[in-house]
């Protein structure tokens, strides 16, 4: 009969093998796609100039389904934009379309 330690090590060894197989599958799928131009993605909080704004950027939290976050990660890799940049652009477009862009400045909020 195997000890508890042996069972747990076998479990982690199996998980590690499966993770390695998933990684190899992903790498082979990505390498099969045509190479696109290399895009440099900066890490960390963007400056106001990078955001195309002259005002201070403040943090906002949004909760998303994990699948959407994963889709965002793939999209950011494909476009070279950060998640924050993508969210800002889409929120700005939504506010502009609905007529609420810069309303707070007019109301002296």
């Amino acid at each position: 009969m195997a000890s508890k330690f042996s069972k747990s090590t076998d479990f982690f060894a199996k998980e590690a093998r499966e993770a390695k197989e998933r990684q190899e599958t992903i790498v082979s799928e990505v390498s099969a796609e045509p190479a696109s131009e290399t895009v440099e993605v900066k890490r960390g909080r963007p400056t106001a100039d990078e955001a195309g704004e002259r005002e201070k950027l403040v943090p906002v939290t949004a909760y998303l389904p994990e699948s959407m976050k994963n889709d965002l990660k793939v999209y950011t890799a494909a476009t070279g934009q950060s998640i924050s940049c993508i969210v800002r652009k889409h929120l700005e477009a939504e506010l502009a379309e609905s007529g609420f862009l810069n309303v707070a400045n007019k109301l002296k909020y």
Side-chain angles (χ1 to χ4, degrees):
M1 182 171 175
S3 70
K4 290 182 181 180
F5 178 77
S6 175
K7 287 181 184 178
S8 65
T9 350
D10 290 342
F11 171 79
F12 288 114
K14 179 183 172 193
E15 290 296 314
R17 277 193 307 274
E18 290 174 358
K20 181 75 173 166
E21 290 170 4
R22 287 191 302 269
Q23 181 182 20
E24 289 171 356
T25 302
I26 291 169
V27 169
S28 66
E29 289 173 359
V30 170
S31 62
E33 296 175 3
S36 61
E37 62 185 58
T38 304
V39 178
E40 182 181 336
V41 178
K42 295 181 181 180
R43 296 288 178 212
R45 188 175 51 154
T47 63
D49 290 337
E50 289 173 342
E53 303 167 358
R54 296 286 180 213
E55 54 188 297
K56 179 181 173 186
L57 299 177
V58 295
V60 175
T61 302
Y63 291 90
L64 306 171
E66 188 172 352
S67 61
M68 185 180 291
K69 183 178 179 185
N70 294 336
D71 292 341
L72 270 172
K73 286 181 181 180
V74 172
Y75 184 75
T76 59
T79 62
Q81 299 175 351
S82 67
I83 291 177
S84 294
C85 182
I86 293 166
V87 169
R88 271 193 306 276
K89 287 181 180 181
H90 286 278
L91 284 175
E92 184 178 22
E94 176 68 26
L95 289 170
E97 183 179 315
S98 63
F100 283 93
L101 188 63
N102 296 322
V103 169
N105 291 339
K106 297 173 187 172
L107 297 174
K108 306 287 187 207
Y109 182 52

